[in-house]
PDB file of all heavy atoms in Angstrom:
ATOM      1  N   ALA A 287      69.646 -26.828-114.350  1.00  0.00           N
ATOM      2  CA  ALA A 287      69.963 -27.069-112.952  1.00  0.00           C
ATOM      3  C   ALA A 287      69.886 -28.566-112.661  1.00  0.00           C
ATOM      4  O   ALA A 287      70.757 -29.114-111.939  1.00  0.00           O
ATOM      5  CB  ALA A 287      68.994 -26.295-112.066  1.00  0.00           C
ATOM      6  N   ASP A 288      68.875 -29.227-113.172  1.00  0.00           N
ATOM      7  CA  ASP A 288      68.699 -30.643-112.970  1.00  0.00           C
ATOM      8  C   ASP A 288      69.899 -31.430-113.479  1.00  0.00           C
ATOM      9  O   ASP A 288      70.449 -32.310-112.784  1.00  0.00           O
ATOM     10  CB  ASP A 288      67.419 -31.076-113.700  1.00  0.00           C
ATOM     11  CG  ASP A 288      67.012 -32.513-113.422  1.00  0.00           C
ATOM     12  OD1 ASP A 288      67.720 -33.205-112.670  1.00  0.00           O
ATOM     13  OD2 ASP A 288      65.997 -32.964-113.979  1.00  0.00           O
ATOM     14  N   ALA A 289      70.339 -31.125-114.682  1.00  0.00           N
ATOM     15  CA  ALA A 289      71.467 -31.846-115.255  1.00  0.00           C
ATOM     16  C   ALA A 289      72.749 -31.653-114.445  1.00  0.00           C
ATOM     17  O   ALA A 289      73.528 -32.595-114.259  1.00  0.00           O
ATOM     18  CB  ALA A 289      71.693 -31.403-116.707  1.00  0.00           C
ATOM     19  N   ILE A 290      72.961 -30.430-113.971  1.00  0.00           N
ATOM     20  CA  ILE A 290      74.153 -30.175-113.166  1.00  0.00           C
ATOM     21  C   ILE A 290      74.051 -30.837-111.811  1.00  0.00           C
ATOM     22  O   ILE A 290      75.039 -31.400-111.298  1.00  0.00           O
ATOM     23  CB  ILE A 290      74.378 -28.655-113.046  1.00  0.00           C
ATOM     24  CG1 ILE A 290      74.774 -28.077-114.409  1.00  0.00           C
ATOM     25  CG2 ILE A 290      75.423 -28.325-111.982  1.00  0.00           C
ATOM     26  CD1 ILE A 290      74.822 -26.566-114.457  1.00  0.00           C
ATOM     27  N   LYS A 291      72.860 -30.831-111.221  1.00  0.00           N
ATOM     28  CA  LYS A 291      72.670 -31.495-109.916  1.00  0.00           C
ATOM     29  C   LYS A 291      73.000 -32.965-109.963  1.00  0.00           C
ATOM     30  O   LYS A 291      73.504 -33.529-108.969  1.00  0.00           O
ATOM     31  CB  LYS A 291      71.244 -31.276-109.429  1.00  0.00           C
ATOM     32  CG  LYS A 291      70.969 -31.926-108.068  1.00  0.00           C
ATOM     33  CD  LYS A 291      69.628 -31.562-107.504  1.00  0.00           C
ATOM     34  CE  LYS A 291      69.262 -32.448-106.297  1.00  0.00           C
ATOM     35  NZ  LYS A 291      70.317 -32.472-105.267  1.00  0.00           N
ATOM     36  N   GLN A 292      72.741 -33.607-111.085  1.00  0.00           N
ATOM     37  CA  GLN A 292      73.057 -35.047-111.189  1.00  0.00           C
ATOM     38  C   GLN A 292      74.553 -35.317-111.199  1.00  0.00           C
ATOM     39  O   GLN A 292      74.966 -36.473-111.029  1.00  0.00           O
ATOM     40  CB  GLN A 292      72.414 -35.629-112.454  1.00  0.00           C
ATOM     41  CG  GLN A 292      70.918 -35.379-112.606  1.00  0.00           C
ATOM     42  CD  GLN A 292      70.127 -35.596-111.341  1.00  0.00           C
ATOM     43  OE1 GLN A 292      70.272 -36.627-110.681  1.00  0.00           O
ATOM     44  NE2 GLN A 292      69.289 -34.627-110.983  1.00  0.00           N
ATOM     45  N   GLU A 293      75.364 -34.268-111.370  1.00  0.00           N
ATOM     46  CA  GLU A 293      76.804 -34.454-111.529  1.00  0.00           C
ATOM     47  C   GLU A 293      77.624 -33.934-110.355  1.00  0.00           C
ATOM     48  O   GLU A 293      78.840 -34.186-110.278  1.00  0.00           O
ATOM     49  CB  GLU A 293      77.287 -33.748-112.820  1.00  0.00           C
ATOM     50  CG  GLU A 293      76.632 -34.269-114.071  1.00  0.00           C
ATOM     51  CD  GLU A 293      77.070 -35.666-114.456  1.00  0.00           C
ATOM     52  OE1 GLU A 293      78.126 -36.104-113.974  1.00  0.00           O
ATOM     53  OE2 GLU A 293      76.349 -36.323-115.227  1.00  0.00           O
ATOM     54  N   VAL A 294      76.984 -33.175-109.451  1.00  0.00           N
ATOM     55  CA  VAL A 294      77.739 -32.595-108.324  1.00  0.00           C
ATOM     56  C   VAL A 294      76.972 -32.854-107.032  1.00  0.00           C
ATOM     57  O   VAL A 294      75.763 -33.095-107.030  1.00  0.00           O
ATOM     58  CB  VAL A 294      77.980 -31.085-108.497  1.00  0.00           C
ATOM     59  CG1 VAL A 294      78.842 -30.809-109.734  1.00  0.00           C
ATOM     60  CG2 VAL A 294      76.674 -30.301-108.579  1.00  0.00           C
ATOM     61  N   ALA A 295      77.680 -32.747-105.912  1.00  0.00           N
ATOM     62  CA  ALA A 295      77.051 -32.909-104.597  1.00  0.00           C
ATOM     63  C   ALA A 295      76.700 -31.571-103.963  1.00  0.00           C
ATOM     64  O   ALA A 295      75.851 -31.537-103.089  1.00  0.00           O
ATOM     65  CB  ALA A 295      77.979 -33.691-103.682  1.00  0.00           C
ATOM     66  N   MET A 296      77.359 -30.493-104.380  1.00  0.00           N
ATOM     67  CA  MET A 296      77.052 -29.194-103.784  1.00  0.00           C
ATOM     68  C   MET A 296      75.649 -28.770-104.150  1.00  0.00           C
ATOM     69  O   MET A 296      75.105 -29.180-105.183  1.00  0.00           O
ATOM     70  CB  MET A 296      78.059 -28.143-104.260  1.00  0.00           C
ATOM     71  CG  MET A 296      78.028 -27.822-105.741  1.00  0.00           C
ATOM     72  SD  MET A 296      79.222 -26.524-106.151  1.00  0.00           S
ATOM     73  CE  MET A 296      79.273 -26.654-107.951  1.00  0.00           C
ATOM     74  N   PRO A 297      74.992 -27.941-103.327  1.00  0.00           N
ATOM     75  CA  PRO A 297      73.633 -27.508-103.638  1.00  0.00           C
ATOM     76  C   PRO A 297      73.556 -26.735-104.948  1.00  0.00           C
ATOM     77  O   PRO A 297      74.453 -25.960-105.295  1.00  0.00           O
ATOM     78  CB  PRO A 297      73.316 -26.584-102.436  1.00  0.00           C
ATOM     79  CG  PRO A 297      74.187 -27.056-101.339  1.00  0.00           C
ATOM     80  CD  PRO A 297      75.451 -27.481-101.992  1.00  0.00           C
ATOM     81  N   VAL A 298      72.453 -26.970-105.637  1.00  0.00           N
ATOM     82  CA  VAL A 298      72.179 -26.315-106.916  1.00  0.00           C
ATOM     83  C   VAL A 298      70.907 -25.485-106.769  1.00  0.00           C
ATOM     84  O   VAL A 298      69.871 -25.983-106.284  1.00  0.00           O
ATOM     85  CB  VAL A 298      72.001 -27.342-108.040  1.00  0.00           C
ATOM     86  CG1 VAL A 298      71.611 -26.675-109.352  1.00  0.00           C
ATOM     87  CG2 VAL A 298      73.299 -28.149-108.227  1.00  0.00           C
ATOM     88  N   ILE A 299      70.973 -24.234-107.196  1.00  0.00           N
ATOM     89  CA  ILE A 299      69.826 -23.341-107.149  1.00  0.00           C
ATOM     90  C   ILE A 299      69.250 -23.203-108.558  1.00  0.00           C
ATOM     91  O   ILE A 299      69.985 -22.918-109.509  1.00  0.00           O
ATOM     92  CB  ILE A 299      70.218 -21.956-106.616  1.00  0.00           C
ATOM     93  CG1 ILE A 299      70.823 -22.068-105.202  1.00  0.00           C
ATOM     94  CG2 ILE A 299      69.011 -21.006-106.598  1.00  0.00           C
ATOM     95  CD1 ILE A 299      71.399 -20.744-104.664  1.00  0.00           C
ATOM     96  N   ALA A 300      67.953 -23.427-108.696  1.00  0.00           N
ATOM     97  CA  ALA A 300      67.257 -23.292-109.968  1.00  0.00           C
ATOM     98  C   ALA A 300      66.504 -21.969-109.999  1.00  0.00           C
ATOM     99  O   ALA A 300      65.956 -21.520-108.980  1.00  0.00           O
ATOM    100  CB  ALA A 300      66.301 -24.457-110.186  1.00  0.00           C
ATOM    101  N   VAL A 301      66.452 -21.351-111.195  1.00  0.00           N
ATOM    102  CA  VAL A 301      65.773 -20.070-111.340  1.00  0.00           C
ATOM    103  C   VAL A 301      65.195 -19.998-112.742  1.00  0.00           C
ATOM    104  O   VAL A 301      65.620 -20.739-113.660  1.00  0.00           O
ATOM    105  CB  VAL A 301      66.770 -18.905-111.103  1.00  0.00           C
ATOM    106  CG1 VAL A 301      67.859 -18.885-112.149  1.00  0.00           C
ATOM    107  CG2 VAL A 301      66.051 -17.567-111.053  1.00  0.00           C
ATOM    108  N   GLY A 302      64.222 -19.151-112.966  1.00  0.00           N
ATOM    109  CA  GLY A 302      63.705 -18.916-114.302  1.00  0.00           C
ATOM    110  C   GLY A 302      62.234 -19.226-114.443  1.00  0.00           C
ATOM    111  O   GLY A 302      61.839 -20.367-114.666  1.00  0.00           O
ATOM    112  N   LEU A 303      61.389 -18.194-114.247  1.00  0.00           N
ATOM    113  CA  LEU A 303      59.930 -18.336-114.332  1.00  0.00           C
ATOM    114  C   LEU A 303      59.421 -19.453-113.441  1.00  0.00           C
ATOM    115  O   LEU A 303      58.562 -20.240-113.824  1.00  0.00           O
ATOM    116  CB  LEU A 303      59.503 -18.551-115.789  1.00  0.00           C
ATOM    117  CG  LEU A 303      59.624 -17.304-116.719  1.00  0.00           C
ATOM    118  CD1 LEU A 303      59.100 -17.612-118.095  1.00  0.00           C
ATOM    119  CD2 LEU A 303      58.877 -16.127-116.116  1.00  0.00           C
ATOM    120  N   ILE A 304      59.932 -19.485-112.237  1.00  0.00           N
ATOM    121  CA  ILE A 304      59.367 -20.294-111.179  1.00  0.00           C
ATOM    122  C   ILE A 304      58.421 -19.387-110.402  1.00  0.00           C
ATOM    123  O   ILE A 304      58.861 -18.531-109.641  1.00  0.00           O
ATOM    124  CB  ILE A 304      60.464 -20.868-110.269  1.00  0.00           C
ATOM    125  CG1 ILE A 304      61.411 -21.762-111.088  1.00  0.00           C
ATOM    126  CG2 ILE A 304      59.835 -21.684-109.130  1.00  0.00           C
ATOM    127  CD1 ILE A 304      62.650 -22.193-110.328  1.00  0.00           C
ATOM    128  N   THR A 305      57.128 -19.514-110.629  1.00  0.00           N
ATOM    129  CA  THR A 305      56.177 -18.522-110.150  1.00  0.00           C
ATOM    130  C   THR A 305      55.084 -19.070-109.229  1.00  0.00           C
ATOM    131  O   THR A 305      54.422 -18.290-108.541  1.00  0.00           O
ATOM    132  CB  THR A 305      55.483 -17.825-111.338  1.00  0.00           C
ATOM    133  OG1 THR A 305      54.825 -18.824-112.126  1.00  0.00           O
ATOM    134  CG2 THR A 305      56.512 -17.104-112.218  1.00  0.00           C
ATOM    135  N   GLU A 306      54.889 -20.392-109.216  1.00  0.00           N
ATOM    136  CA  GLU A 306      53.797 -20.979-108.449  1.00  0.00           C
ATOM    137  C   GLU A 306      54.369 -21.834-107.306  1.00  0.00           C
ATOM    138  O   GLU A 306      55.335 -22.566-107.494  1.00  0.00           O
ATOM    139  CB  GLU A 306      52.893 -21.825-109.318  1.00  0.00           C
ATOM    140  CG  GLU A 306      52.253 -21.064-110.458  1.00  0.00           C
ATOM    141  CD  GLU A 306      51.331 -19.953-109.949  1.00  0.00           C
ATOM    142  OE1 GLU A 306      50.723 -20.134-108.868  1.00  0.00           O
ATOM    143  OE2 GLU A 306      51.246 -18.914-110.636  1.00  0.00           O
ATOM    144  N   PRO A 307      53.752 -21.763-106.107  1.00  0.00           N
ATOM    145  CA  PRO A 307      54.276 -22.571-104.990  1.00  0.00           C
ATOM    146  C   PRO A 307      54.387 -24.052-105.266  1.00  0.00           C
ATOM    147  O   PRO A 307      55.420 -24.685-104.949  1.00  0.00           O
ATOM    148  CB  PRO A 307      53.271 -22.279-103.874  1.00  0.00           C
ATOM    149  CG  PRO A 307      52.729 -20.937-104.196  1.00  0.00           C
ATOM    150  CD  PRO A 307      52.677 -20.870-105.703  1.00  0.00           C
ATOM    151  N   GLN A 308      53.362 -24.628-105.875  1.00  0.00           N
ATOM    152  CA  GLN A 308      53.431 -26.083-106.129  1.00  0.00           C
ATOM    153  C   GLN A 308      54.490 -26.417-107.170  1.00  0.00           C
ATOM    154  O   GLN A 308      55.167 -27.459-107.089  1.00  0.00           O
ATOM    155  CB  GLN A 308      52.080 -26.599-106.590  1.00  0.00           C
ATOM    156  CG  GLN A 308      51.975 -28.135-106.609  1.00  0.00           C
ATOM    157  CD  GLN A 308      52.211 -28.747-105.242  1.00  0.00           C
ATOM    158  OE1 GLN A 308      51.545 -28.377-104.265  1.00  0.00           O
ATOM    159  NE2 GLN A 308      53.167 -29.672-105.135  1.00  0.00           N
ATOM    160  N   GLN A 309      54.676 -25.517-108.130  1.00  0.00           N
ATOM    161  CA  GLN A 309      55.747 -25.692-109.100  1.00  0.00           C
ATOM    162  C   GLN A 309      57.095 -25.738-108.419  1.00  0.00           C
ATOM    163  O   GLN A 309      57.944 -26.631-108.693  1.00  0.00           O
ATOM    164  CB  GLN A 309      55.710 -24.543-110.110  1.00  0.00           C
ATOM    165  CG  GLN A 309      56.825 -24.521-111.138  1.00  0.00           C
ATOM    166  CD  GLN A 309      56.990 -23.156-111.811  1.00  0.00           C
ATOM    167  OE1 GLN A 309      56.466 -22.167-111.326  1.00  0.00           O
ATOM    168  NE2 GLN A 309      57.705 -23.120-112.938  1.00  0.00           N
ATOM    169  N   ALA A 310      57.332 -24.804-107.506  1.00  0.00           N
ATOM    170  CA  ALA A 310      58.584 -24.788-106.751  1.00  0.00           C
ATOM    171  C   ALA A 310      58.757 -26.056-105.917  1.00  0.00           C
ATOM    172  O   ALA A 310      59.845 -26.645-105.867  1.00  0.00           O
ATOM    173  CB  ALA A 310      58.645 -23.533-105.868  1.00  0.00           C
TER     174      ALA A 310
END
Side-chain angles (χ1 to χ4, degrees):
D288 187 0
I290 291 172
K291 179 171 168 53
Q292 307 316 311
E293 301 290 341
V294 298
M296 65 178 166
V298 175
I299 301 173
V301 65
L303 288 182
I304 300 170
T305 59
E306 300 298 327
Q308 192 60 55
Q309 175 197 16

